[in-house]
């Protein structure tokens, strides 16, 4: 069966520090991968998606970036965090572009 | 632009009191309508996918239905463990890759 992992589970970072969140998927090949941010009182916001290694599409202009160095690994990064980057970050995967998306456990990021 | 609206924002039920959660959508050619359950501090858990008007799916005390403009999540004789936030999302045929548009969710509390 397929499993999706995210780490760390919780992160507290100062403003201006770098960020690296990692997501890995097991049990499937060539998945579509997604990064979402969920803020209190707002719906899930799609940040990035990837259909293959090295292929990244950005949905929202911001100081975040994403990379996909391996088939089942998706990384969310920032060179300098802003207060507004605080939130709950979720990684998801799907088979194909129309398949159901399955979510990971999430990373809670607090920028102080 | 695709839009998904969920109502009410919050719902409090007595154990055993059946009710329905509403999801209204406006998308350019519906490709799929998804329901997820999200517990506090966790990632969304997939419940159902509906593809065409008239389709229904059931799982335990939950039944999801779909019309051309709305989807309903019916909860029959709910139990306290059904307390969670229920998210609705829609994807359309526009664009090369399906993008999920999420509603803000409905927070359900079931009192014993």
């Amino acid at each position: 069966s397929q499993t999706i992992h995210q780490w760390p589970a919780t992160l507290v970072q100062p403003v201006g520090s770098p960020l690296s969140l990692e997501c890995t998927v097991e049990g499937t090949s060539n998945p579509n991968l997604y990064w979402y941010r969920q803020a209190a009182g707002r719906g899930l916001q799609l940040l990035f998606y990837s259909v293959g290694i090295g292929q990244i599409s950005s949905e929202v202009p911001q100081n975040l970036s994403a990379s996909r160095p391996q088939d089942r690994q998706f990384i969310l990064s920032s060179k300098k965090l802003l207060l507004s980057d605080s939130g709950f970050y979720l990684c998801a995967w799907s088979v194909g572009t129309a398949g159901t998306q399955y979510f990971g456990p999430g990373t809670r990021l607090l920028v102080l | 632009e695709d839009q998904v609206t969920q109502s009410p924002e919050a719902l409090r039920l007595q154990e055993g009191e059946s009710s329905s959660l509403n999801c209204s959508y406006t998308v350019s050619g519906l490709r799929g309508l998804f329901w997820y359950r999200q517990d506090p501090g966790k990632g969304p858990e997939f419940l159902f996918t509906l593809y065409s008007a008239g389709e229904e799916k059931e799982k335990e005390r939950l039944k999801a239905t779909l019309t051309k403009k709305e989807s309903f999540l019916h909860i029959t004789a709910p139990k306290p463990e059904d307390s969670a936030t229920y998210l609705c999302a829609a994807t359309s045929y526009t664009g090369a890759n399906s993008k999920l548009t999420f509603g803000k969710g409905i927070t359900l509390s079931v009192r014993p």
Side-chain angles (χ1 to χ4, degrees), chain A residues 46-59:
Chain A
L46 179 63
L47 302 176
F48 302 95
Y49 66 90
S50 171
V51 299
I53 296 174
Q55 300 178 63
I56 308 295
S57 296
S58 174
E59 288 293 308

Side-chain angles (χ1 to χ4, degrees), chain B residues 4-67:
Chain B
V4 174
T5 303
Q6 294 187 250
S7 62
E9 289 187 11
L11 183 62
R12 300 182 70 179
L13 299 174
Q14 196 70 34
E15 184 172 2
E17 178 187 2
S18 301
S19 187
S20 297
L21 311 181
N22 174 264
C23 171
S24 301
Y25 63 91
T26 305
V27 300
S28 303
L30 181 71
R31 200 168 187 179
L33 189 292
F34 303 83
W35 282 98
Y36 292 86
R37 169 192 169 128
Q38 186 174 24
D39 292 304
K42 297 188 176 181
E45 174 190 349
F46 169 71
L47 292 174
F48 304 107
T49 306
L50 302 168
Y51 294 103
S52 57
E55 190 175 359
E56 298 183 353
K57 288 191 176 175
E58 289 189 64
K59 179 181 179 180
E60 296 181 352
R61 295 178 292 282
L62 301 176
K63 182 170 79 172
T65 61
L66 182 66
T67 72

Side-chain angles (χ1 to χ4, degrees), chain A residues 5-104:
Chain A
H5 303 279
Q6 287 187 246
W7 64 88
T10 305
L11 192 59
V12 180
Q13 292 285 92
V15 170
S17 64
L19 173 73
S20 181
L21 303 182
E22 189 166 342
C23 169
T24 59
V25 181
E26 297 177 354
T28 187
S29 296
N30 196 30
N32 279 17
L33 296 173
Y34 309 84
W35 278 113
Y36 287 87
R37 178 169 56 205
Q38 187 176 35
R42 302 179 64 179
L44 273 74
Q45 180 186 37
L46 179 63
L47 302 176
F48 302 95
Y49 66 90
S50 171
V51 299
I53 296 174
Q55 300 178 63
I56 308 295
S57 296
S58 174
E59 288 293 308
V60 181
Q62 60 220 324
N63 69 319
L64 299 172
S65 63
S67 62
R68 185 170 176 174
Q70 300 181 42
D71 181 44
R72 289 168 286 180
Q73 184 185 32
F74 206 21
I75 297 172
L76 183 69
S77 303
S78 174
K79 293 182 179 179
K80 288 186 178 182
L81 283 168
L82 307 173
L83 286 173
S84 58
D85 291 324
S86 293
F88 192 46
Y89 288 83
L90 290 158
C91 181
W93 70 273
S94 70
V95 175
T97 57
T100 299
Q101 293 185 23
Y102 299 92
F103 287 83

